[in-house]
Amino acid sequence: MIPVILSGGSGTRLWPLSRGQYPKQFLPLVSKYTMVQETLLRLDGLADLKAPIAVCNEDHRFIMAEQLREIDAHPAAIILEPVGKNTAPAVAVAALTAASENDVLLILPADHVIANTAAFHKAVMQAKQMAEQGFLVTFGIVPTEPQTGYGYIKSGDLLQESAFKVAGFVEKPDKETAARYLQSGDYFWNSGMFAFTAGTFLRELEKFNPDMLSACKQALAAAKADMDFTRLDKVLFSACPSDSIDYAVMEKTDKAVVIPLSAGWNDVGSWSALWDVIPKDESGNAISGDVLAVDSSNSFIYSENKLVTVIGVHNLVVVETSDAVMVASKDKVQEVKQIVDQLKKLGRSEAQTHRKVFRPWGHYDSVDCGERHQTKRIVVKPGAKLSLQKHHHRAEHWVVVKGTALVSKGDEQVLITENESTYIPLGVVHSLENPGVIPLEIVEVQSGSYLGEDDIVRFGDQYGRV
């Protein structure tokens, strides 16, 4: 069985913690591990698992690779989508990548919480057996409330054990209809998790959406190996129809099976949903970070950097990050996307990036910015190197505060250690490398007429960004 990790996401529903360039699956929301790491770690103990396949946005490739490395996961492939085309094409390229058409693919979105691992494992093993018999299995979450935010799956005849024929898929209902579904016991929330063999899925996709399968085959055939990544051809993949697994295959096939899952599942689709799964104090507050709460209840209060204090607030979400603060009623958190849309219209960076920006070599944090100056804290991983580059509009001063830096400036190379500094004049070709075994930390002061990240001319880069 091959776990297939689907890591899409636009980073809007949990803004300001989640951003376009750093969506929720890469955040440690419910434990010390990120959600993509939790997705793989909860598979520990399952028998006959092969190396996973991850499918992600190409902008997230280095974050994905680093987070898999941190938990010692060794993927068979990290497939990069140049554009998002929904789940069916993502699963199709994963199925085409599998070594054998008989491999069972366990399709897992990377941003779900599952509290009861034992119940999840039991459902997965039954799904594996059904998949090996030629069925396409979906996991239906046993509903606990008349939820209007999910699509539903209607179960039909019992096939074996707790596996039911799928009688139909239904869109998100209104409250009255959802209550009726809950009472009937025949309906389950659509989890977006699946199990089937690579061959079964590809044959059904060819039957119902041959254009999609053809486009995926062409994009994969023309893909380029880029370090540890498989980079799909952008032109060919862009021509692929966009559709979900449900619409492309599951609603049309006669092989669809649903297995009920009652395992404390939550897709953490909003701040109120995150409040649901996080431990709370005696007043019902879910608190993270440096927070003081007085006479407050049933609220989610998150502090990333500063002391956050609340007095007499109830049913609120308060989130503080290094560059933004959001306050919302818990019953209005689904409208966070409107804030993100406004930020995008205004061209503001807060919609896409945090103040701390991750790069394949490490990260930087923009701690101060003025009209003609900017100050950054830069951390370079051991053995990593920034690209050979120059700037047309800015000069840079570097001060080493930890570790050792190997600096190239024109034809000169120099080692700089703690409490030493160097100056990079405007227009000089330069690079920065950490030759040591501990992280290199420097303070960079930029000065010039233009300080944007697009003022970089790269001449060489070990991460393929030239």
Side-chain angles (χ1 to χ4, degrees), residues 180-431:
R180 196 167 66 249
Y181 289 168
L182 182 64
Q183 188 175 14
S184 77
D186 295 330
Y187 290 81
F188 304 97
W189 294 338
N190 191 343
S191 70
M193 299 186 292
F194 304 89
F196 35 66
T197 66
T200 300
F201 178 77
L202 292 174
R203 284 188 290 273
E204 294 299 284
L205 184 62
E206 186 168 32
K207 185 187 303 182
F208 300 116
N209 207 321
D211 291 344
M212 179 182 290
L213 180 58
S214 176
C216 289
K217 285 181 176 178
Q218 293 177 53
L220 188 60
K224 291 182 170 59
D226 178 3
M227 300 173 58
D228 297 329
F229 310 110
T230 300
R231 189 184 291 272
L232 298 174
D233 184 87
K234 184 172 184 177
V235 173
L236 293 171
F237 195 69
S238 297
C240 181
S242 176
D243 216 342
S244 68
I245 301 173
D246 291 338
Y247 286 129
V249 173
M250 297 298 289
E251 292 189 4
K252 300 179 175 70
T253 183
D254 60 0
K255 302 178 187 296
V257 168
V258 59
I259 291 179
L261 177 63
S262 181
W265 174 91
N266 191 310
D267 72 344
V268 196
S270 68
W271 284 112
S272 58
L274 184 56
W275 177 85
D276 286 338
V277 298
I278 287 183
K280 290 168 271 292
D281 64 16
E282 62 277 5
S283 298
N285 296 311
I287 290 175
S288 178
D290 193 6
V291 172
L292 291 176
V294 175
D295 188 27
S296 300
S297 65
N298 300 320
S299 294
F300 183 98
I301 311 161
Y302 179 97
S303 166
E304 188 175 78
N305 295 278
K306 302 176 182 66
L307 169 64
V308 173
T309 63
V310 295
I311 304 170
V313 304
H314 309 280
N315 300 307
L316 284 187
V317 172
V318 181
V319 182
E320 178 272 337
T321 68
S322 59
D323 60 351
V325 175
M326 185 198 72
V327 180
S329 295
K330 239 164 63 181
D331 60 356
K332 294 288 186 181
V333 290
Q334 296 288 356
E335 297 171 27
V336 170
K337 188 176 184 297
Q338 295 182 25
I339 294 291
V340 179
D341 289 342
Q342 288 187 45
L343 290 171
K344 289 178 179 178
K345 288 178 183 176
L346 294 169
R348 297 192 55 146
S349 62
E350 292 94 336
Q352 293 294 328
T353 60
H354 290 278
R355 200 181 77 176
K356 179 186 283 187
V357 177
F358 290 85
R359 292 288 187 256
W361 43 260
H363 64 263
Y364 67 82
D365 186 358
S366 299
V367 297
D368 186 39
C369 189
E371 186 178 348
R372 290 184 59 88
H373 73 88
Q374 182 170 214
T375 303
K376 294 180 177 180
R377 291 194 193 99
I378 297 177
V379 177
V380 184
K381 295 183 290 189
K385 180 180 181 180
L386 280 68
S387 59
L388 185 66
Q389 60 185 254
K390 73 175 182 180
H391 312 292
H392 290 302
H393 302 287
R394 70 175 187 250
E396 296 174 341
H397 299 257
W398 294 343
V399 181
V400 175
V401 295
K402 181 181 177 182
T404 301
L406 177 59
V407 178
S408 298
K409 294 192 294 181
D411 297 328
E412 177 188 8
Q413 270 200 339
V414 59
L415 276 174
I416 304 173
T417 58
E418 295 173 7
N419 300 316
E420 295 181 340
S421 63
T422 190
Y423 169 63
I424 311 295
L426 184 151
V428 170
V429 176
H430 61 279
S431 69

Side-chain angles (χ1 to χ4, degrees), residues 26-54:
F26 299 118
L27 297 171
L29 294 178
V30 295
S31 77
K32 67 178 182 178
Y33 297 107
T34 68
M35 300 196 77
V36 69
Q37 290 171 334
E38 288 277 12
T39 302
L40 280 172
L41 290 172
R42 74 171 61 101
L43 302 178
D44 287 351
L46 284 171
D48 300 324
L49 281 183
K50 292 188 175 183
I53 295 172

